Amino acid sequence: MKPILSIKNLAVSIEDREIIKNFNLEIEAGSIHALMGPNGSGKSSLANTLMGHPRYSVKGGTIFFNEIDITNFSPDKRAKQGLFLAFQYPQEIPGVQVFTFLKEVQRALTGNDIPVEELYDQLCNYLQLLSMDESFAYRNVNEGFSGGEKKRFELLQLLMLKPKLAILDEIDSGLDVDALKVVAHGLAIARKESPNLSILLITHYQRILNYIEPDFVHVMQDGYLIKSGDASLAQAIDQEGYDGIRSTQ
Ligand code: ADP
Ligand code: MG
């Protein structure tokens, strides 16, 4: 089977500093890959580069998504192909309500206008799944959201937009155990609804991987992918730290 995402020899710079170096990764449709690594190792930079953030300039290598070379695609073109990023630090959009935002994004991505009532029903269904109140639909995007609400809103977008590959940048950070279980439940629903959904789950901690078992675990450091393995690698990191797993290379 052809991979949904194929990154080859990727090199990325920001302001002339190389932050991702000779990076290779393939993700199959329907699989879950965890990307771990200490702070500052380049995980968010990789996520932003995959989404086409203009500050990250690709100096070498290619990114294929769905067998299309998207290395130079704009972010909206990538999103239309089915790529989705849940941000580590979601931004506020003052004056734009959650429902309006989702309606506009849906339209921009698909070119279709889903009837408002249908979209609202979908939204309410997912809000319930994520233990959120219906009134959330009328709040302004990320304005005054708690950390947990921001993360749940990222997940809500994933559920509504049904991408092919979801990159989740620390969707677990700052969540207490109950909120973490809600997020894990939401991800399980997303996978059930779209069995081919692939996930690149960026995380510091093994904790979320107890609820969502990864098929592969990768470790980044200083811009390099230094190690790949199965779910047991995340457990080794939890017990021995990054220094511990490096010494067993
Ligand atoms: P991680 O997500 O693994 O913590 P990042 O990708 O955020 O790591 O950061 C990797 C390196 O790139 C860090 O040294 C960071 O300072 C630098 N970096 C990332 N984004 C930017 C940016 N927008 N401007 C300047 N430096 C950046
Ligand atoms: Mg990060």
Side-chain angles (χ1 to χ4, degrees):
M1 198 166 63
K2 287 262 196 303
I4 181 86
L5 180 75
S6 174
I7 304 172
K8 288 209 170 76
N9 306 322
L10 187 69
V12 177
S13 290
I14 192 158
E15 285 146 18
D16 287 331
R17 202 177 117 227
E18 200 177 27
I19 45 174
I20 293 173
K21 302 155 188 168
N22 192 27
F23 196 95
N24 292 281
L25 180 67
E26 285 198 343
I27 296 183
E28 305 271 351
S31 64
I32 300 185
H33 289 240
L35 180 63
M36 303 182 78
N39 252 329
S41 54
K43 305 182 298 297
S44 293
S45 300
L46 179 74
N48 288 328
T49 303
L50 291 176
M51 209 59 224
H53 191 301
R55 281 193 73 184
Y56 299 80
S57 63
V58 174
K59 299 291 186 189
T62 52
I63 305 164
F64 276 77
F65 181 66
N66 230 358
E67 296 182 56
I68 299 169
D69 185 349
I70 62 157
T71 316
N72 298 309
F73 274 26
S74 60
D76 66 306
K77 265 180 100 176
R78 295 175 198 230
K80 282 180 188 153
Q81 289 293 324
L83 198 55
F84 172 89
L85 171 62
F87 291 104
Q88 181 172 3
Y89 303 111
Q91 298 294 308
E92 289 180 11
I93 312 181
V96 178
Q97 290 180 340
V98 161
F99 182 63
T100 311
F101 174 81
L102 290 168
K103 185 157 64 73
E104 292 306 322
V105 174
Q106 180 91 265
R107 184 181 20 212
L109 286 185
T110 62
N112 297 328
D113 253 331
I114 297 180
V116 172
E117 304 75 33
E118 199 181 307
L119 201 66
Y120 191 74
D121 284 349
Q122 263 187 43
L123 175 61
C124 289
N125 172 38
Y126 289 132
L127 283 172
Q128 206 174 12
L129 271 176
L130 298 175
S131 307
M132 295 164 100
D133 195 83
E134 242 179 71
S135 62
F136 192 80
Y138 301 107
R139 290 179 66 185
N140 290 335
V141 169
N142 287 316
E143 222 177 41
F145 285 17
S146 69
E149 284 171 336
K150 284 184 183 170
K151 299 293 174 176
R152 271 187 268 188
F153 179 52
E154 295 296 292
L155 186 56
L156 183 66
Q157 292 171 57
L158 191 170
L159 286 160
M160 297 282 293
L161 302 173
K162 304 199 184 327
K164 294 191 178 81
L165 171 66
I167 305 164
L168 309 174
D169 195 355
E170 299 204 18
I171 194 122
D172 52 340
S173 68
L175 299 185
D176 60 32
V177 175
D178 291 332
L180 189 70
K181 281 184 185 163
V182 169
V183 166
H185 176 61
L187 283 175
I189 298 291
R191 293 191 74 209
K192 205 165 152 195
E193 289 183 350
S194 314
N196 274 334
L197 169 68
S198 309
I199 298 176
L200 179 60
L201 204 161
I202 298 174
T203 182
H204 260 315
Y205 303 108
Q206 200 264 342
R207 201 175 61 144
I208 192 171
L209 305 178
N210 289 331
Y211 300 99
I212 310 150
E213 194 179 348
D215 300 298
F216 299 95
V217 174
H218 312 280
V219 182
M220 259 187 110
Q221 189 175 24
D222 294 332
Y224 290 103
L225 202 164
I226 60 160
K227 196 159 183 153
S228 294
D230 60 17
S232 67
L233 179 55
Q235 276 148 22
I237 291 167
D238 196 41
Q239 281 153 24
E240 302 159 36
Y242 290 109
D243 288 339
I245 62 123
R246 259 195 315 274
S247 60
T248 59
Q249 265 190 96

